[in-house]
Amino acid sequence: MTAAIVGIGSALPERAVPNSHFAAIGSSDEWIVKRTGIRQRHFLAEDGHLADLALAASRIALARAGRTARDVGHVVVATTTPDRTTPGLAVEVAARLGADRAAAFDLHAACAGFVYALDHAVALIESGRAGTVLVCGAEALTRITDHEDRSTAVLLGDGAGAVVVTDVDTAGAPEPAFRLGSDGDLIPLLYADRFDRKLRMDGPEIFVQAVERMSEAARDVLARRELTTEDVDLFVAHQANARIVRAVGKELGVPPERLYLNVDRVANTSSASIPLALHQAWQEGRLGRKGLLGVAAFGAGVTWGAGVIGWHLTEPEADPLTDREADPVTDAEADLLTDREADPVTDREADPVTDPEADPVTDPEADPVTDPEADPVTDPEADPVTAPEADPVEAG
């Protein structure tokens, strides 16, 4: 028996924003696609609640896993953009799920948050301290970007993804393994202080660090389990932008057909990006019933991590939850817990700490860690790797 992913879910805000939205700040569709691979992203409404997205993704993941909320021992939500300064998202998600037996907490490791949380879930299960762990990555990055800055605004999106991790019979399959890292000496490369509240970053250096650290961590994990990239059925890296993901894939020797990209549809969603990509890959039939997943991420701090973990899932065609008409758990009208009038926990008028004037954490300028300006590709003049002759990823 070993820990594996047995259920996946995701949720996106209704509003899809195409690249044409950014014409007013001097960015064309051609410019954005060429430098990032992004064609659209989703924006949470200004009065929207990130907890709603996290809840929807978590419900789908539990349903796909065949588990109930009362089976969950721990709820871990990776986020840098919570609805409140305190409490975090996890306690609200657990309460609204009905996970009344679960411990719940938020984890802040920037874009590497989901990998950190997944490692924690595996450790809880392997130690016997939990039988089932719900891990969610949820972000409202539109709260933390300068919408007049075309080098960052075009890259950010909102969304949530979740997985259920539990013990399964995986005879002969590799055990999970993770490597996490951090380097606080590099804080000046990507940060926001409490006065300025705007994302500040050294884009070219962050690009180099992201590719190097993710690749190094992934190689270490594979070596510890005596694996090669040929043993990994699907590799999902943090979807900062297409060029970073492809650069990591090339460093590791992952063939394109096993390197998943969905950044074109959802942009950079920070800690939500890996579970969002994983759920979309499953919906497309890219996962199958069983397999070995490779993950890697890099974020502010700087923080980074990589890991391998198995999955045991049902087939997409057998999944009624992909059909909204067949799935009441994602239908707000069918669910009193998503009705603002029925749920005072998320009623902003009932909770003064969610007032942006009272809560600097919800201020869009308050947190740099998920800013894809960590990717210099959006600024061709500042980033020599955008020149084809200087970029072996695009030249190759």
Side-chain angles (χ1 to χ4, degrees), residues 43-50 52 83 143 340 346-348 354 356:
F43 284 0
L44 187 65
E46 289 187 12
D47 60 350
H49 295 256
L50 185 58
D52 291 348
D83 291 327
R143 294 173 175 172
R340 292 290 152 207
T346 57
D347 188 339
R348 288 194 179 273
T354 58

Side-chain angles (χ1 to χ4, degrees), residues 290-317:
K290 298 180 181 180
L292 185 65
L293 173 71
V295 295
F298 178 92
V302 294
T303 58
W304 66 89
V308 291
I309 185 171
W311 74 72
H312 282 231
L313 304 166
T314 58
E315 298 291 347
E317 56 268 26

